């Protein structure tokens, strides 16, 4: 009698687990395709490109200033003679100090430019990433999906096979009002 009870309990647990698994729906989305189809991404790209060019112009101006001062110092060094040795040496030492300070300023400006560009990218992309994430969540809930995998990042999430999942990329793009451009489809892996 105990054996029959154990069999029924085991059978009941197995059937319950199978029913629970059968109810979980899996979907996939290609975020790379979604971002490529959003006009905001192009605007953000243009803004970042313009900021990069502005920062590069500032750096190039400093480099030009550095090169001009270096040439002036080199020309001054050519005029060095016994008669003006003391005066020219003082000028060269002052020029060397100024060049070192300017070189340091160039490096600091480069570093700050990289930080500024990165901060601007984060500032502009974060709201867009949230908008896309919220749209994906909304579509997943509407479609009663338990899991959604990003097929644009197959290597990083170890998704090896997506056949049978529901691709919600087009629905998310539609929800965001994005254009219908298509990135390369995520293929089936072996």
């Amino acid at each position: 009698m105990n054996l029959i009870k154990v069999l029924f309990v085991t059978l009941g647990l197995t059937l319950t687990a199978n029913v629970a698994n059968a109810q979980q729906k899996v979907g996939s989305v290609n975020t790379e395709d979604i971002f490529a189809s959003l006009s905001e991404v192009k605007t953000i790209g243009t803004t970042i490109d313009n900021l990069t060019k502005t920062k590069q112009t500032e750096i190039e101006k400093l480099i030009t200033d550095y090169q001009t001062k270096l040439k002036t110092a080199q020309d001054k060094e050519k005029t060095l003679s016994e008669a003006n040795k003391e005066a020219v040496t003082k000028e060269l030492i002052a020029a060397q100090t100024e060049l070192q300070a300017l070189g340091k300023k160039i490096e600091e400006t480069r570093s700050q430019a990289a930080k500024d560009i990165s901060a601007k990218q984060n500032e502009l992309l974060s709201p867009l990433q949230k908008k896309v994430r919220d749209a994906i969540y909304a579509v997943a809930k509407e479609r009663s999906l338990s899991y959604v995998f990003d097929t644009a990042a197959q290597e990083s999430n170890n998704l090896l096979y997506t056949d049978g999942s529901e691709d919600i990329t087009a629905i998310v793009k539609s929800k965001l009002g994005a254009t219908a451009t298509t990135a390369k489809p995520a293929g089936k892996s072996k």
Side-chain angles (χ1 to χ4, degrees):
M1 200 62 162
N2 268 345
L3 182 60
I4 294 176
K5 284 183 185 179
V6 170
L7 285 175
F8 276 117
V9 170
T10 305
L11 183 63
L13 289 174
T14 304
L15 289 175
T16 304
N18 286 340
V19 169
N21 283 338
Q23 292 176 355
Q24 294 183 351
K25 288 176 61 180
V26 177
S28 64
V29 65
N30 187 332
T31 55
E32 186 178 295
D33 187 18
I34 292 170
F35 278 104
S37 67
L38 294 173
S39 61
E40 294 100 316
V41 172
K42 293 174 184 111
T43 304
I44 290 170
T46 301
T47 301
I48 296 302
D49 287 346
N50 290 339
L51 178 61
T52 301
K53 288 175 186 171
T54 301
K55 296 295 182 179
Q56 186 62 35
T57 301
E58 291 173 15
I59 293 167
E60 287 171 359
K61 183 180 175 194
L62 288 172
I63 291 171
T64 301
D65 190 28
Y66 180 90
Q67 290 170 337
T68 302
K69 290 181 181 189
L70 179 62
K71 176 139 178 42
T72 302
Q74 289 170 339
D75 291 345
K76 186 61 125 176
E77 186 178 32
K78 291 177 185 175
T79 66
L80 186 64
S81 68
E82 271 312 308
N84 65 3
K85 185 176 184 179
E86 190 176 319
V88 171
T89 302
K90 284 183 182 179
E91 288 177 31
L92 289 174
I93 290 172
Q96 180 182 10
T97 303
E98 185 178 8
L99 286 170
Q100 286 173 342
L102 193 52
K104 185 176 179 183
K105 183 175 182 181
I106 290 169
E107 291 307 313
E108 289 171 352
T109 303
R110 282 183 176 150
S111 176
Q112 188 60 47
K115 289 177 186 175
D116 291 348
I117 292 167
S118 178
K120 191 63 162 178
Q121 283 176 321
N122 288 336
E123 173 191 330
L124 296 174
L125 285 174
S126 290
L128 187 58
Q129 289 169 330
K130 182 183 182 328
K131 179 180 171 181
V132 170
R133 184 176 53 247
D134 290 347
I136 292 169
Y137 290 172
V139 170
K141 285 183 182 180
E142 290 168 7
R143 310 289 270 180
S144 301
L145 300 175
S146 300
Y147 302 99
V148 176
F149 292 98
D150 185 359
T151 58
Q154 286 185 1
E155 288 78 28
S156 65
N157 70 9
N158 297 325
L159 178 64
L160 300 176
Y161 188 73
T162 62
D163 192 36
S165 69
E166 182 177 357
D167 186 350
I168 62 172
T169 303
I171 300 165
V172 173
K173 286 168 57 173
S174 173
K175 187 176 253 342
L176 291 169
T179 58
T181 60
T182 310
K184 62 179 182 177
K188 297 176 188 176
S189 298
K190 294 181 181 179

